[in-house]
Amino acid sequence: MKNVGIALGFGALLITALSFTNSVSKAHLATKDSKVHWISFEKAIEKSKTEPRKLMIDLYTEWCGWCKRMDKDTFEDEDIADYLNEHYYSVKFDAEYKKDIVYNGKTYKFIQNGRRGYHELAAELANGRLSFPTTVFMDEQQRLIQPLPGYKDPVLFEQIITYFGEDMHKKMPWEKYQRTYKKKGNDAPIEAMPVKH
């Protein structure tokens, strides 16, 4: 009888955990209510053919807590969402995506690795260094500008998207840009916040 009680208790705990995981997963996915206009990688490439724009790719996984925090803190910031929607195609890419993606004549697949795995395209975009979240920036011809691993708060992320969005990365080093960056409507430079992992 004691074993039945333990089994029922464990079963209830498992069901609760699974339902929580399910609701977190669904909440993490881009929705119609997102301030950022998220599109798929394939759609971004297709749209770039007729209206070239840079790509900002959010590499995430469903189990990544810092990814969820960046969704909530950074991507829901109105200034950031407005800038991304105007200057970039924003892609939310699950690094554990299971379906094949054909890009530049090559088929990228999901690779099983232990209990989890990774998508080959995510690994290539992150230069083989998968950590989550990683934000990848590509130019208008889909050439890799730079992957940036780790959580970025809204203050730092706004500097990053304008640095790449306005091609300042071609004109000055990041450190100089950070010292001179001024938020629109504010004459004071914004100090960089430390990157959290």
Side-chain angles (χ1 to χ4, degrees), residues 18-29 62-63 68:
L18 288 174
S19 65
F20 174 76
T21 302
N22 216 7
S23 66
V24 168
S25 295
K26 288 177 184 169
H28 182 64
L29 294 174
E62 287 299 321
W63 49 263
K68 292 172 178 68

Side-chain angles (χ1 to χ4, degrees), residues 16 27 40 49 89 94 100 122 126 131 133 145 147 150 155 157 168 171:
T16 302
S40 69
K49 292 176 184 174
Y89 291 122
D94 182 349
D100 293 355
S131 66
I145 298 173
V155 173
F157 198 72
M168 296 306 290
K171 301 171 187 166

Side-chain angles (χ1 to χ4, degrees), residues 182-188:
K182 294 178 183 171
K183 186 170 176 147
K184 291 176 186 168
N186 184 354
D187 291 334

Side-chain angles (χ1 to χ4, degrees), residues 20-167:
F20 174 76
T21 302
N22 216 7
S23 66
V24 168
S25 295
K26 288 177 184 169
H28 182 64
L29 294 174
T31 65
K32 288 186 251 178
D33 298 333
S34 292
K35 290 182 181 169
V36 175
H37 302 153
W38 297 106
I39 59 176
S40 69
F41 182 78
E42 297 92 337
K43 181 87 169 175
I45 298 303
E46 189 61 36
K47 288 181 84 157
S48 286
K49 292 176 184 174
T50 55
E51 186 186 337
R53 281 194 200 176
K54 289 180 178 68
L55 273 66
M56 186 282 302
I57 304 168
D58 174 35
L59 291 179
Y60 76 97
T61 63
E62 287 299 321
W63 49 263
C64 168
W66 285 108
C67 300
K68 292 172 178 68
R69 183 166 175 190
M70 195 160 164
D71 280 347
K72 183 175 166 276
D73 296 346
T74 305
F75 294 127
E76 287 302 307
D77 180 278
E78 197 161 323
D79 291 336
I80 288 171
D82 289 346
Y83 191 89
L84 287 172
N85 293 337
E86 184 177 343
H87 297 279
Y88 289 89
Y89 291 122
S90 299
V91 174
K92 194 161 265 305
F93 191 95
D94 182 349
E96 296 177 342
Y97 185 65
K98 302 286 194 283
K99 296 182 180 174
D100 293 355
I101 294 178
V102 178
Y103 172 60
N104 278 346
K106 180 178 175 183
T107 302
Y108 294 87
K109 299 178 175 291
F110 175 78
I111 304 297
Q112 189 68 42
N113 187 10
R115 288 181 31 215
R116 298 196 188 276
Y118 64 93
H119 200 279
E120 290 175 311
L121 183 57
E124 186 168 305
L125 292 170
N127 283 335
R129 296 181 178 162
L130 286 172
S131 66
F132 309 106
T134 292
T135 309
V136 178
F137 292 90
M138 299 177 85
D139 69 13
E140 293 84 351
Q141 289 76 43
Q142 294 89 50
R143 292 181 300 233
L144 184 66
I145 298 173
Q146 186 173 346
L148 297 172
Y151 168 85
K152 307 291 185 269
D153 65 53
V155 173
L156 181 58
F157 198 72
E158 185 173 354
Q159 294 175 58
I160 293 167
I161 60 177
T162 57
Y163 181 67
F164 293 125
E166 296 169 17
D167 287 329

